């Protein structure tokens, strides 16, 4: 942290700041200039409230040197995190993790058709929501515990892993019994109690970026999980809210290489919720892989016209097969496998 005193702030005000830094167990290094005093602070500044220092008499500006997030930062851990789901399925390694399936679990027949299709096309992880966060209280909110069972039974029959959303701290254990990855949705990225509680279980977590969250806030949310014990966190760019209305959200693709610079955690891209348009899913997925994404989370429905949730953005199984074929050379070009 660098503290810049106001022009004309006297020695007594600077001494006051210096003794406060000592009290906080950090080391102040005052530099007295001709116009102002600058105080460099040695030590981990993240434990101090920057606003409190800023509010002290005579302080002009306070600048942080370290990233505010710690556990998710590449400064803390240099090697990229590889999350191992068992049976050879990893996230963050050379192989790209393909997570595909319907937005919501609806029925056994729907899950069987979807699971067979995405597995045959090469996906390793089955997605499907049993607890659905819906903007309207009158929309389908998922099958709940019955949906979890339909989802995990279908995954077992086809030898797949499961990702599904957990909406409520009270459901964590039930969801974790059926899931290999707990999904925290965009609307819950700042639900700090939920983050804390998924930090206390061992199941890996996919943390979606809040639709109005900055990358810094996303990484701080990851720290909320990790500081409670669970280090198996992956991030997901799913588009942010902008003034654009042609796409459901605006996919911030630069988040992928940016997160790779700032963090050691794997980063997944959701082309379905970010674009909301089946016609955009393939090109955006290709771009995401080219940009370095570690995985893709994609809505595939056997019959989108009958889907009870987000049918207008789901791609059909034959589209997914075609996409997997297009992805192979792109993955190879960036030294990844499918
Ligand atoms: C989902 O993946 O089903 C979902 C609800 O996504 P998001 O939280 O990104 O809206
Ligand atoms: Mn959805």
């Amino acid at each position: 942290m660098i503290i810049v005193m106001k022009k004309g702030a006297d020695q007594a005000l600077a001494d006051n700041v210096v003794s406060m830094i000592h009290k906080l167990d950090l080391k102040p290094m005052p530099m007295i200039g001709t116009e102002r005093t600058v105080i460099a602070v040695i030590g981990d500044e993240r434990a101090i409230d920057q606003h409190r220092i800023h509010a002290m008499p005579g302080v002009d500006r306070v600048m942080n040197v370290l990233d505010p997030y710690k556990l998710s930062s590449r400064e803390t851990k240099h090697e990229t995190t590889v999350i191992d789901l068992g049976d050879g399925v990893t996230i963050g390694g050379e192989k790209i993790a393909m997570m595909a399936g319907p937005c919501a679990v609806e029925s056994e027949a729907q899950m069987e058709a979807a699971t067979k299709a995405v597995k045959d096309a090469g996906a390793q992880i089955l997605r499907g929501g049993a607890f659905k966060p819906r903007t309207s209280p009158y929309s389908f909110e998922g099958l709940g515990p019955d949906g979890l069972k339909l989802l995990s039974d279908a995954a077992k029959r086809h030898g797949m892993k499961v990702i599904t959303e957990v909406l409520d701290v009270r459901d964590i254990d039930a969801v974790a019994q059926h899931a290999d990855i707990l999904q925290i949705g965009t609307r819950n990225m700042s639900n700090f109690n939920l983050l804390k509680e998924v930090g206390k279980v061992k199941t890996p977590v996919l943390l979606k970026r809040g639709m109005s969250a900055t990358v810094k806030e996303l990484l701080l949310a990851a720290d909320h999980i990790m500081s409670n014990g669970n280090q198996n966190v992956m991030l997901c760019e799913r588009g942010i809210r902008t003034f654009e209305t042609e796409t459901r959200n605006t996919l911030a693709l630069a988040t992928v290489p940016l997160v790779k610079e700032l963090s050691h955690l794997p980063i997944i891209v959701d082309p379905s919720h970010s674009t909301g348009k089946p016609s955009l899913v393939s090109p955006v997925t290709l771009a995401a892989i080219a940009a370095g994404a570690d995985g893709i989370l994609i809505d595939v429905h056997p019959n989108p016209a009958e889907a009870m949730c987000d049918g207008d953005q789901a791609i059909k199984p034959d589209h997914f097969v075609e996409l997997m074929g297009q992805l192979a050379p792109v993955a190879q070009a960036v030294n990844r496998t499918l």
Side-chain angles (χ1 to χ4, degrees):
M1 180 181 279
I2 309 283
I3 302 163
V4 182
M5 300 301 290
K6 284 185 178 142
K7 235 176 169 172
D10 63 15
Q11 176 80 32
L13 292 176
D15 287 349
N16 202 17
V17 174
V18 164
S19 62
M20 170 62 98
I21 299 301
H22 275 304
K23 259 192 233 151
L24 294 166
D25 271 344
L26 296 168
K27 195 173 161 202
M29 303 271 287
M31 290 166 276
I32 299 157
T34 48
E35 303 223 348
R36 319 166 174 246
T37 299
V38 171
I39 304 162
V41 179
I42 317 278
D44 193 341
E45 68 201 25
R46 285 170 287 212
I48 354 176
D49 183 356
Q50 177 188 337
H51 305 288
R52 207 172 131 192
I53 306 289
H54 198 191
M56 292 184 73
V59 173
D60 184 17
R61 271 173 291 151
V62 178
M63 288 168 283
N64 284 324
V65 176
L66 295 173
D67 296 331
Y69 39 88
K70 207 173 197 171
L71 299 172
S72 57
S73 172
R74 230 186 241 284
E75 282 175 357
T76 307
K77 177 173 177 267
H78 190 70
E79 326 79 68
T80 299
T81 290
V82 179
I83 299 172
D84 190 352
L85 301 184
D87 303 314
V89 182
T90 57
I91 298 137
E94 194 184 291
K95 197 168 158 73
I96 289 160
M98 294 302 292
M99 313 179 187
C103 187
V105 177
E106 297 161 15
S107 68
E108 189 174 347
Q110 171 237 19
M111 285 314 299
E112 175 56 26
T115 311
K116 183 169 179 353
V118 297
K119 169 73 186 194
D120 287 353
Q124 315 96 317
I125 303 164
L126 180 64
R127 68 149 286 153
F131 296 97
K132 296 301 306 173
R134 302 309 300 271
T135 302
S136 163
Y138 312 113
S139 301
F140 174 60
E141 292 182 321
L143 297 178
D146 295 342
L148 289 176
K149 177 135 174 47
L150 291 177
L151 175 68
S152 66
D153 284 353
K156 271 189 209 125
R157 285 196 299 277
H158 292 274
M160 294 186 80
K161 301 292 178 189
V162 166
I163 176 167
T164 193
E165 180 161 355
V166 59
L167 277 182
D168 193 305
V169 289
R170 292 167 295 190
D171 298 324
I172 293 174
D173 288 343
V175 176
Q177 267 173 32
H178 291 92
D180 301 286
I181 304 173
L182 300 174
Q183 178 174 325
I184 300 292
T186 194
R187 293 159 188 82
N188 271 322
M189 191 207 83
S190 304
N191 181 342
F192 302 116
N193 287 332
L194 183 60
L195 301 182
K196 199 179 282 174
E197 293 304 316
V198 296
K200 292 179 187 164
V201 299
K202 292 204 164 62
T203 313
V205 175
L206 177 138
L207 176 65
K208 284 192 152 192
R209 179 180 185 177
M211 59 183 89
S212 62
T214 63
V215 169
K216 200 175 272 177
E217 287 162 343
L218 173 65
L219 293 171
L220 283 166
D223 268 30
H224 269 281
I225 301 172
M226 298 170 82
S227 59
N228 281 281
N230 193 345
Q231 305 302 304
N232 288 323
V233 177
M234 64 203 92
L235 308 167
C236 179
E237 172 59 57
R238 50 77 72 204
I240 49 174
R241 275 263 170 106
T242 68
F243 49 82
E244 182 56 73
T245 53
E246 290 295 324
T247 49
R248 183 175 179 182
N249 289 289
T250 296
L251 178 64
L253 203 51
T255 303
V256 173
L258 177 64
V259 159
K260 296 223 158 265
E261 275 180 26
L262 301 178
S263 173
H264 56 88
L265 299 177
I267 171 91
I268 310 299
V269 169
D270 178 340
S272 305
H273 289 82
S274 54
T275 67
K277 281 190 157 70
S279 63
L280 301 182
V281 164
S282 291
V284 159
T285 303
L286 295 170
I289 298 301
D294 297 297
I296 301 291
L297 178 66
I298 190 165
D299 284 11
V300 179
H301 196 289
N303 188 357
E306 283 184 7
M308 293 168 83
C309 180
D310 286 350
D312 52 351
Q313 73 187 27
I315 62 169
K316 292 183 183 163
D318 55 351
H319 186 161
F320 186 62
V321 172
E322 184 191 46
L323 169 59
M324 289 297 283
Q326 293 168 334
L327 274 183
V330 178
Q332 196 186 8
V334 289
N335 299 318
R336 305 296 285 266
T337 54
L338 267 185

